[in-house]
Amino acid sequence: MAGLQLEKRVKYKSSVKDPGTPGILRLREVMLLFVPEDPKSDSKLKVQTQNIKSQKSTKEGSNKPPWLNLTNKQGRSHIFEFENYQDMHACREFIAKALAKCEEEPKKLAVSTSAEQLSIADLELRFKLLRENSELQRLHKQFVESKVLTEDEFWATRKKLLGKDSIRKSKQQVGLKSMMVSGIKPSTDGRTNRVTFNLTPEIIFQIFAEKPAVRQAFINYVPSKMTEKDFWTKYFRAEYLYSTKNTAVAAAEAAEDEELAVFLKPDEILARETRQKIRRVDPTLDMEADQGDDYTHLMDHGIQRDGTSDIVEPHNDQFKRSLVQDLNRHAAVVLEGRSIDVESEDTRTVAEALMRVKQVSKADSEANQERLERISRVAGMEDLQAPQNFPLALLSIKDPRDYFESQQGNILNEPRGGGGLKRNIHEAYELLKASILEIKTEGLCDPLIKPEVALEVFSSLTRTISTAKNIIGKNPRESFLDRLPKPTKDQVLHHWTSIQELLRHFWSSYPITTTYLHTKVGKLKDAMSNTYSQLEAMKESVQSDLRHQVSLLVRPMQQALDAAFQHYEADLQRRTTKSVGGGGGERPNGYV
Amino acid sequence: MASVASKLYSDDVSLLVLLLDTNPFFWSSTSIKFSQFLSHVFAFLNAVLGLNQLNQVVVIATGYSSCDYIYDSSSTSNHGSLESSRIGLPALFGSLIEKLEDFITKDEELIKEEEVEDRIASSLLSGSLSMALCYIQRVFRSGNIHPQPRILCLQGSPDGPEQYVAVMNSIFSAQRLMVPIDSCYIGAQNSAFLQQASYITGGVHHTPKQLDGLFQYLTTIFATDLHSRSFVQLPKPVGVDFRASCFCHKKTIDMGYICSVCLSIFCAHHKKCSTCGSVFGQSKLDDASPVSNKKRKAPET
């Protein structure tokens, strides 16, 4: 397909109103090329297939001319008017295939085509992230578009953002629908006796998974004995017979038609599997004990299926399946999930793949079988065994008293000394007692407080309260940032995030081992000094009453930048001296 | 009776539990005399009682080695001697003075028995806080109708880091009871305990600058009842000292190790938590950068 090329005569329109430029459309897998007939025309066009987002075309049979409308990732559309519908369909299919291939191999693309050409999925993810996060967008705009950082460098530090989504979208196995196949109702047209069943690959897969006998029959009969269509007709005939519940007819038809009988008889393969499973059941499990509980023949018992009660009758049950059996089987298949990764339309491939999976699992289970038996022989009854000792470390929660007493001990055990203190203690107590005696005899001080002092206290308190209000605001939880005018606040926050971004790249570039890193650091340093001066300017521009607070906010940013500058200078100096020193080794001593 | 009481006990009736620092070491080293301090406090208590006739005041003395209730305005045995009223002392405080004297004597005796240690000359704040909370708890349990309780710590002596756990426990109990702890620190240093207590319980912390105007501070800031606080501007601290004491050496630290199981704080790495017994593994990170798993508790002041 890679070498394939398609050429059609078309008219290219840049918009619906455009009368169109006649020319030739060349389609290749990686891009499409439009060459106008008139060599002077400047409407030459080249579109990379991976840039195409979607294509639309006019419906055949409508009055409109055959148009193909390609929309690219930037939202621009290119319209091509074909000479006839055949041409258009050919092109449409070609592009569809190319697009599918493009999407199929995003990883390969990302690896093979270097940094600039990322997979569509990755690009979309990045766009989405930028769209959702305005802060990110601003940073991206500031640094990537001003060429301080390359696109890759910018995203390299945000792998987590990118990775989370990609993990989410891949790897998950698609489960089966829980709807039962038997739920597919035939549709009748009402006039004739024909019933129609609609089959999709999904349903076929499910039938094969649930009914190994059908799968086996398919492999055996198709296409050697009958066509796929005949096979399914027969299958649904059998299903139809089931649904009528007419066991007599079913038996009669089965007798006549050998192949039909395969579908009507209970599934041999399943039965075999079941027998194997039963053999594996713990022999101590006594299922017969439950037989006394048989109440299936009581009134109102049974499961309603298709409006009629589904009671298993003992006779003729070779051609009967109970709903419970179907349900169980279906549940087992759904739980197993989609065990094969065949995304094929070919029914036979699916059937064979399923078969292989089954055989592998059977081999596994047979190997397991013996081991399990040995285990079950050795293993005793769980409830008769001594309690197991789990490897748990017990949390030793001590008596809290121990803790407090030990604290007390700590105090007591601390080195004592301080005879001076001992002497002081009594003096101190004496002083205290004297004070009390004083108040006892002389009463409260009079005057209690001097008016000047009271005034001073008052004014100082008022001052504290008003300045505190200035600093913390009315609401103690409200930060100073909230009191800044909105643009200033945004500016501060933006500076902070951009400085963080720059510093992250700056520090991660060290140690400088390549010239690439060297230039990167240089660029970053320039950007940082730019930001530094912006900070200074911002500090100058704010109102005087806020300036102090703003400078407090700005200081840590500037300190962080200063540290980076310092490192840059030191590193530069070291490198230059090193290179000089390294050169010195080559030169003879004293040579300048 | 209940209906009358409920009418009387409006939301501005307070129960003020005052924790009075009687640490002799502090009072022998500070500029203000204890008698002066007491004058201010008595006048303040009197003012509080005068604000609302249902207001109640309890005083607990916080000593060096013990603490005790020394005054309860609701008890009937508060009649002071005639002598005290003669010298211009509010009659109510006659018994307070006597009890305080007894308390200090006892406190001194206790210290004699215990011998003097080389510990920081701190008061038993944890003890008096616990007593205040016990009293408040009793008030809470007395029925639905009770005054709004609050605790006021009049503290001058420095924090005793060895009381860290006990003090913090009291603070959290107060927080749970929704009892604000106001604190007025008159000492020279900064009390992290009181700052945290007021911050956590939603009380007011203030450090008066002029001790001779103490009464003014007390009446302006700390006389405000809980109801009025919603519309009165009270001084707010700019920051709170959140430093903790390590459990192993009772040192005040701003960076240390924390047990991941019980949140005990240690100043050095231990193999086993001394509080809950959890065994700590040596993390790989630990080898690379020994500081990385230290949690910083920076004082905000």
Side-chain angles (χ1 to χ4, degrees):
Chain A
M1 182 169 160
L4 275 185
Q5 189 176 333
L6 209 64
E7 263 188 47
K8 300 284 173 202
R9 292 188 59 81
V10 292
K11 271 189 196 162
Y12 168 65
K13 296 158 177 278
S14 56
S15 69
V16 184
K17 293 267 154 57
D18 191 0
T21 325
I24 291 184
L25 179 68
R26 284 204 185 93
L27 286 174
R28 277 198 212 113
E29 200 189 325
V30 286
M31 61 169 179
L32 53 100
L33 200 70
F34 173 74
V35 186
E37 263 175 8
D38 181 5
K40 277 176 229 151
S41 166
D42 53 358
S43 54
K44 202 169 166 179
L45 182 77
K46 202 164 145 188
V47 181
Q48 303 259 342
T49 316
Q50 59 188 3
N51 283 336
I52 297 173
K53 206 169 93 193
S54 64
Q55 55 169 344
K56 278 183 283 186
S57 60
T58 47
K59 236 192 195 146
E60 197 168 350
S62 63
N63 297 330
K64 286 176 195 134
W67 280 7
L68 186 67
N69 188 347
L70 301 179
T71 316
N72 69 6
K73 293 249 152 62
Q74 282 81 42
R76 260 190 71 191
S77 57
H78 310 287
I79 301 168
F80 299 102
E81 188 181 318
F82 289 86
E83 286 179 342
N84 53 44
Y85 275 99
Q86 274 161 359
D87 281 359
M88 190 197 78
H89 286 317
C91 282
R92 206 190 55 184
E93 265 175 49
F94 191 92
I95 293 170
K97 271 185 193 158
L99 277 180
K101 195 151 185 201
C102 239
E103 259 158 18
E104 238 173 59
E105 317 172 289
K107 266 194 199 124
K108 210 171 120 197
L109 263 173
V111 176
S112 61
T113 64
S114 69
E116 288 106 59
Q117 290 188 339
L118 278 147
S119 73
I120 298 167
D122 271 0
L123 271 177
E124 265 174 7
L125 187 64
R126 288 178 182 186
F127 277 126
K128 194 176 140 251
L129 284 170
L130 287 180
R131 252 200 324 276
E132 282 168 1
N133 190 340
S134 62
E135 194 179 294
L136 204 64
Q137 198 180 8
R138 262 215 320 251
L139 279 180
H140 185 264
K141 205 170 154 187
Q142 185 180 349
F143 294 129
V144 179
E145 283 173 24
S146 65
K147 299 258 162 50
V148 174
L149 295 172
T150 67
E151 177 90 13
D152 271 0
E153 282 167 357
F154 182 78
W155 288 108
T157 49
R158 292 182 171 74
K159 279 200 184 109
K160 228 190 242 164
L161 283 176
L162 293 168
K164 224 173 13 192
D165 274 32
S166 63
I167 287 164
R168 205 190 302 142
K169 72 184 173 205
S170 67
K171 294 281 175 196
Q172 189 168 10
Q173 208 180 16
V174 183
L176 288 174
K177 277 185 202 153
S178 59
M179 195 186 78
M180 284 181 67
V181 177
S182 53
I184 313 164
K185 284 278 162 284
S187 56
T188 51
D189 54 7
R191 277 170 293 174
T192 58
N193 277 336
R194 236 170 84 179
V195 287
T196 318
F197 287 90
N198 284 320
L199 267 183
T200 63
E202 180 105 1
I203 294 172
I204 290 174
F205 175 82
Q206 212 170 332
I207 291 172
F208 280 163
E210 282 184 30
K211 296 172 182 168
V214 177
R215 188 180 68 218
Q216 192 56 50
F218 186 89
I219 291 173
N220 289 345
Y221 298 154
V222 180
S224 60
K225 226 167 164 183
M226 56 178 89
T227 64
E228 195 177 333
K229 198 179 167 199
D230 286 342
F231 178 84
W232 291 117
T233 318
K234 221 164 251 277
Y235 170 74
F236 281 110
R237 168 121 192 95
E239 283 295 301
Y240 183 70
L241 283 174
Y242 272 126
S243 66
T244 56
K245 301 230 158 34
N246 196 336
T247 46
V249 173
E253 293 225 9
E256 273 173 32
D257 191 336
E258 188 189 324
E259 282 104 34
L260 190 67
V262 172
F263 300 132
L264 287 174
K265 272 188 220 143
D267 201 318
E268 252 316 300
I269 298 172
L270 265 190
R272 218 181 308 137
E273 268 178 28
T274 318
R275 271 197 295 280
Q276 255 176 12
K277 270 188 207 154
I278 289 173
R279 247 178 271 135
R280 248 177 283 163
V281 167
D282 188 345
T284 55
L285 183 68
D286 186 3
M287 287 182 79
E288 284 189 355
D290 288 342
Q291 285 212 324
D293 301 340
D294 185 13
Y295 43 82
T296 51
H297 296 285
L298 295 177
M299 276 285 282
D300 291 336
H301 175 77
I303 306 162
Q304 293 282 317
R305 185 185 196 177
D306 306 337
T308 53
S309 197
D310 189 43
I311 300 168
V312 187
E313 286 160 36
H315 59 88
N316 228 350
D317 63 355
Q318 195 195 351
F319 300 109
K320 267 254 173 202
R321 286 180 315 212
S322 71
L323 174 60
V324 178
Q325 275 173 326
D326 280 356
L327 269 179
N328 274 340
R329 181 63 199 150
H330 177 69
V333 170
V334 169
L335 282 181
E336 225 166 67
R338 206 175 241 280
S339 46
I340 54 165
D341 287 330
V342 185
E343 284 276 349
S344 174
E345 303 268 317
D346 185 18
T347 321
R348 198 177 168 85
T349 342
V350 174
E352 276 167 356
L354 264 175
M355 183 102 124
R356 274 197 300 279
V357 171
K358 281 282 162 205
Q359 269 162 2
V360 169
S361 66
K362 208 195 279 171
D364 279 355
S365 66
E366 270 162 13
N368 275 340
Q369 181 72 20
E370 247 180 89
R371 200 169 52 91
L372 280 173
E373 272 169 13
R374 228 177 303 139
I375 287 170
S376 69
R377 240 177 285 133
V378 178
M381 297 287 209
E382 197 186 335
D383 52 350
L384 296 180
Q385 275 173 352
Q388 280 182 319
N389 288 323
F390 293 107
L392 281 179
L394 285 176
L395 197 62
S396 89
I397 295 175
K398 291 189 219 159
D399 186 354
R401 262 172 305 181
D402 285 355
Y403 172 67
F404 289 117
E405 274 156 22
S406 74
Q407 276 199 311
Q408 212 63 42
N410 273 351
I411 299 163
L412 290 175
N413 291 338
E414 268 169 23
R416 333 173 160 188
L421 192 69
K422 193 171 181 175
R423 205 173 49 247
N424 281 344
I425 275 185
H426 297 292
E427 281 173 21
Y429 273 105
E430 285 312 314
L431 227 87
L432 207 59
K433 279 187 201 162
S435 261
I436 292 169
L437 203 69
E438 190 183 333
I439 201 167
K440 212 169 156 187
T441 50
E442 286 168 30
L444 303 186
C445 328
D446 189 26
L448 187 66
I449 184 164
K450 288 189 195 110
E452 312 80 83
V453 175
L455 181 70
E456 219 172 297
V457 168
F458 252 135
S459 46
S460 82
L461 265 181
T462 319
R463 217 166 34 240
T464 349
I465 289 170
S466 58
T467 53
K469 212 164 91 186
N470 239 338
I471 295 166
I472 357 178
K474 274 185 184 158
N475 182 355
R477 313 269 170 211
E478 183 188 41
S479 77
F480 168 73
L481 264 183
D482 295 328
R483 299 199 309 116
L484 284 173
K486 180 102 174 50
T488 322
K489 182 188 165 187
D490 287 349
Q491 216 180 347
V492 169
L493 288 177
H494 177 66
H495 276 311
W496 192 225
T497 47
S498 54
I499 286 169
Q500 277 179 321
E501 177 75 20
L502 287 171
L503 285 174
R504 183 162 43 203
H505 285 285
F506 178 82
W507 290 111
S508 66
S509 311
Y510 280 95
I512 298 173
T513 46
T514 59
T515 44
Y516 172 75
L517 281 176
H518 188 73
T519 44
K520 184 184 172 187
V521 164
K523 271 191 295 183
L524 286 168
K525 194 224 153 208
D526 290 344
M528 284 195 293
S529 38
N530 229 341
T531 319
Y532 198 94
S533 49
Q534 276 173 21
L535 284 177
E536 285 292 337
M538 185 183 72
K539 237 170 37 177
E540 296 303 313
S541 66
V542 290
Q543 288 163 37
S544 55
D545 55 332
L546 297 175
R547 193 168 298 157
H548 174 65
Q549 290 301 322
V550 171
S551 66
L552 281 184
L553 283 175
V554 165
R555 197 183 299 153
M557 306 187 205
Q558 289 184 324
Q559 278 168 352
L561 288 177
D562 282 336
F565 291 146
Q566 219 172 349
H567 186 83
Y568 179 80
E569 295 298 335
D571 191 70
L572 202 69
Q573 210 158 26
R574 217 183 54 231
R575 288 165 72 83
T576 48
T577 51
K578 209 159 119 193
S579 67
V580 167
E586 286 162 19
R587 292 170 198 156
N589 254 351
Y591 185 87
V592 185
Chain B
M1 179 64 204
S3 63
V4 175
S6 66
K7 227 181 266 171
L8 293 174
Y9 277 110
S10 52
D11 49 11
D12 57 350
V13 177
S14 331
L15 161 61
L16 178 70
V17 184
L18 183 82
L19 311 184
L20 201 65
D21 192 358
T22 64
N23 190 326
F25 300 109
F26 170 70
W27 288 113
S28 59
S29 63
T30 189
S31 58
I32 182 175
K33 268 164 73 187
F34 189 57
S35 58
Q36 276 174 305
F37 169 74
L38 274 186
S39 306
H40 289 263
V41 171
F42 283 168
F44 166 65
L45 290 180
N46 211 18
V48 169
L49 288 174
L51 273 172
N52 191 316
Q53 60 168 340
L54 287 169
N55 275 359
Q56 196 185 329
V57 168
V58 173
V59 181
I60 298 170
T62 314
Y64 177 73
S65 47
S66 66
C67 25
D68 202 2
Y69 297 103
I70 52 169
Y71 177 71
D72 183 348
S73 68
S74 67
S75 80
T76 45
S77 58
N78 280 330
H79 304 295
S81 54
L82 278 170
E83 188 194 356
S84 61
S85 56
R86 181 177 50 81
I87 56 164
L89 193 69
L92 284 171
F93 299 117
S95 70
L96 196 160
I97 291 280
E98 276 159 29
K99 279 215 178 141
L100 185 61
E101 218 174 355
D102 291 348
F103 169 77
I104 285 166
T105 320
K106 266 188 214 152
D107 201 39
E108 193 181 359
E109 279 165 14
L110 276 171
I111 219 169
K112 270 179 203 152
E113 291 161 20
E114 201 187 350
E115 288 191 39
V116 187
E117 306 138 17
D118 192 18
R119 80 170 203 209
I120 300 172
S122 58
S123 305
L124 267 183
L125 178 65
S126 56
S128 58
L129 268 177
S130 310
M131 286 175 102
L133 287 168
C134 287
Y135 189 94
I136 289 167
Q137 187 64 257
R138 206 172 64 193
V139 170
F140 276 147
R141 290 182 186 181
S142 65
N144 288 329
I145 303 136
H146 51 75
Q148 301 288 319
R150 66 177 195 266
I151 298 172
L152 170 58
C153 296
L154 270 175
Q155 195 78 14
S157 40
D159 290 340
E162 74 282 352
Q163 296 178 53
Y164 176 72
V165 177
V167 169
M168 288 316 284
N169 283 342
S170 308
I171 291 172
F172 292 131
S173 310
Q175 183 192 25
R176 220 182 106 76
L177 288 174
M178 295 202 284
V179 174
I181 300 177
D182 297 335
S183 47
C184 180
Y185 188 70
I186 51 177
Q189 285 123 318
N190 226 353
S191 170
F193 282 176
L194 294 184
Q195 284 183 26
Q196 291 184 41
S198 297
Y199 177 80
I200 291 169
T201 58
V204 187
H205 175 81
H206 194 74
T207 316
K209 288 181 189 72
Q210 287 173 285
L211 288 184
D212 53 346
L214 183 66
F215 173 75
Q216 195 59 57
Y217 284 107
L218 289 175
T219 44
T220 317
I221 301 167
F222 299 104
T224 332
D225 61 75
L226 298 189
H227 177 67
S228 312
R229 287 189 189 190
S230 52
F231 47 81
V232 173
Q233 281 278 348
L234 292 175
K236 289 183 183 73
V238 182
V240 180
D241 185 354
F242 282 117
R243 279 179 303 167
S245 304
C246 68
F247 287 22
C248 41
H249 305 92
K250 316 294 168 206
K251 283 189 296 195
T252 304
I253 51 172
D254 54 12
M255 206 193 265
Y257 294 85
I258 292 179
C259 170
S260 52
V261 176
C262 68
L263 303 180
S264 300
I265 302 159
F266 303 102
C267 60
H269 185 267
H270 289 243
K271 287 215 170 73
K272 200 174 162 191
C273 174
S274 64
T275 312
C276 69
S278 311
V279 180
F280 302 135
Q282 188 80 18
S283 78
K284 281 169 198 148
L285 258 176
D286 208 32
D287 300 329
S289 55
V291 203
S292 66
N293 61 346
K294 281 187 173 184
K295 185 177 157 62
R296 191 166 173 83
K297 267 198 160 185
E300 281 184 18
T301 39

